[in-house]
Amino acid sequence: MSLAAALGASLLTTGTSCTCSDRTTGDDPRGLTEPACLWLISPRGFRADGSSSLLQDDANHRNPTACLCITQEEYDALGDRLDRVGWPEEGTLLEEFNEVAYDECKRISELQGFVDDECLDYYQHGTWLKDIYFARGDWANGKPPEFSCHE
């Protein structure tokens, strides 16, 4: 169990969660999948000198993202983007997005040398769950170059 999952299991938070019929973690998707990426748009990191800045994926010249391969039907089942904010139901795609976003947030924070960050707060409140978009059109650069939904 990841740190994020252990922390999530111990939380007693309230808030909106998805009661949608999305596939549960570990199930294979039914249909053609494509990258859908959660954008870590607003988390800040804090340096030892007291300064702070937004986390940035310097290698890809953009905000960090955490991507999963999902179908259009699964994306639609995530519901309205603003209704996604909150602690996600266990075993759902929203929980999986929350987990991979936390892991990526901590990875980027460490790479940038921050001594503290807002990753845990965003994770505990599901704040970033509203920022999931397919990696196409204006959001096409969200998919890291090495990420693929096709083996």
Side-chain angles (χ1 to χ4, degrees):
M1 178 182 287
S2 70
L3 171 62
L7 289 169
S10 68
L11 293 175
L12 295 175
T13 60
T14 58
T16 306
S17 64
C18 178
T19 57
C20 50
S21 59
D22 62 352
R23 112 176 103 97
T24 56
T25 304
D27 288 350
D28 289 330
R30 294 181 210 135
L32 181 65
T33 63
E34 60 182 299
C37 302
L38 183 153
W39 287 76
L40 287 75
I41 293 174
S42 301
R44 299 189 74 78
F46 306 93
R47 296 178 190 85
D49 67 4
S51 64
S52 69
S53 65
L54 295 174
L55 274 70
Q56 291 294 309
D57 181 351
D58 294 329
N60 293 302
H61 312 288
R62 60 168 168 69
N63 293 95
T65 59
C67 303
L68 296 175
C69 296
I70 66 174
T71 66
Q72 181 67 51
E73 182 180 291
E74 290 169 331
Y75 180 83
D76 294 342
L78 296 176
D80 183 82
R81 62 182 291 270
L82 296 179
D83 291 339
R84 298 178 202 155
V85 175
W87 187 250
E89 288 183 22
E90 186 175 337
T92 64
L93 285 174
L94 286 177
E95 180 186 44
E96 191 171 349
F97 270 113
N98 207 31
E99 295 281 332
V100 296
Y102 179 78
D103 292 344
E104 180 65 2
C105 190
K106 294 305 288 183
R107 185 185 77 80
I108 294 291
S109 180
E110 185 176 318
L111 281 175
Q112 293 186 298
F114 293 125
V115 296
D116 196 12
D117 55 56
E118 296 176 331
C119 299
L120 184 59
D121 186 55
Y122 274 70
Y123 172 78
Q124 290 175 333
H125 296 99
T127 307
W128 45 36
L129 293 174
K130 68 182 178 6
D131 296 315
I132 301 169
Y133 305 98
F134 273 115
R136 55 169 106 123
D138 290 342
W139 302 101
N141 69 333
K143 181 186 77 63
E146 69 281 358
F147 188 89
S148 174
C149 291
H150 311 288
E151 296 180 25

